[in-house]
Amino acid sequence: MQYDILIAGVGGQGVILASRLLGLAAMKAGLHVTTAETIGMSQREGAVVSHIRLGNEISGPLIPKAGADLIIGMEPSEAVRNMPMLKQSGHMVVNTAPVIPASVAIGLSQYDVSEILVFINNTCKNAILVDATKLAKQAGNHKSANVVLLGVAAAADLLPFNISILQQALEEELPKKYLEANKKSFEIGINMLYNMKNKI
């Protein structure tokens, strides 16, 4: 078995934490895990990409182009930037809430998030788009949008282990002061996906 997950976002969104949670859950499930990160020039709002490779037939830590089974996009433009990494049959789970670059804020460039989301929907037939930041705020911590997206991916059966194993990893990895908000975020992500399924 081989399964490759790529997480893309910007600094401060918890890409590395999400990677650790997935890696720990995979090890609990008895899977061989290899991870690697590429981090942008600035610690905050620089591009961050994490590669999580699961299986015994992995030839290197970085997922090859068009090799990812799943892309978890913490930020819409970073999800699009990494779409060439996705298999033709791959899936995406994308946070629709943008992180506006400084160049946009001062008027030097534009960021039309609606066009980006339309592009994702038109290009990837297996995309799930969700405002994870809004849902995380409902849970009490906007920074737990990463955990919302993990809940969505788990409930959509896009991870090669069950939800309870990921829940265990979350409880073991997170400090107690952040645990309740993240557990609630995880549950909100799961329930949001189940509600989407019921509407279809």
Side-chain angles (χ1 to χ4, degrees):
M1 188 280 285
Q2 182 174 329
Y3 195 79
D4 290 331
I5 304 169
L6 186 141
I7 307 177
V10 299
Q13 288 194 299
V15 171
I16 307 303
L17 174 60
S19 174
R20 279 208 316 267
L21 291 170
L22 290 177
L24 179 58
M27 286 189 290
K28 284 180 171 292
L31 300 173
H32 177 77
V33 180
T34 302
T35 64
E37 286 81 35
T38 58
I39 300 173
M41 290 296 289
S42 62
Q43 189 172 12
R44 293 288 170 178
E45 298 186 8
V48 180
V49 178
S50 183
H51 301 246
I52 305 105
R53 310 199 70 191
L54 310 177
N56 295 317
E57 300 178 1
I58 294 168
S59 57
L62 298 180
I63 299 168
K65 187 175 180 180
D69 297 280
L70 171 65
I71 289 179
I72 299 176
M74 303 285 186
E75 201 282 334
S77 66
E78 292 303 320
V80 169
R81 191 192 316 275
N82 286 279
M83 283 180 76
M85 300 295 294
L86 188 67
K87 285 181 178 177
Q88 190 171 1
S89 60
H91 292 73
M92 298 183 75
V93 177
V94 180
N95 183 8
T96 61
V99 175
I100 303 301
S103 60
V104 174
I106 62 175
L108 295 179
S109 60
Q110 296 181 339
Y111 187 150
D112 189 332
V113 69
S114 60
E115 285 188 7
I116 289 173
L117 298 176
V118 168
F119 177 81
I120 293 172
N121 262 328
N122 289 342
T123 307
C124 178
K125 62 181 180 180
N126 299 315
I128 300 172
L129 306 180
V130 54
D131 190 340
T133 301
K134 180 179 178 181
L135 293 174
K137 288 177 182 176
Q138 293 175 13
N141 182 1
H142 72 280
K143 291 185 177 181
S144 61
N146 56 347
V147 178
V148 172
L149 294 175
L150 293 184
V152 172
D157 296 322
L158 298 178
L159 302 175
F161 40 78
N162 64 44
I163 290 174
S164 63
I165 291 178
L166 186 52
Q167 178 73 48
Q168 290 174 27
L170 192 149
E171 292 180 357
E172 291 180 15
E173 188 70 18
L174 291 171
K176 287 186 177 179
K177 63 180 179 178
Y178 301 123
L179 182 57
E180 286 307 313
N182 278 277
K183 285 173 65 176
K184 189 173 180 182
S185 294
F186 188 66
E187 291 167 3
I188 285 174
I190 291 169
N191 292 332
M192 190 284 308
L193 196 281
Y194 287 158
N195 289 336
M196 285 178 63
K197 285 182 177 178
N198 291 334
K199 290 178 181 179
I200 296 174

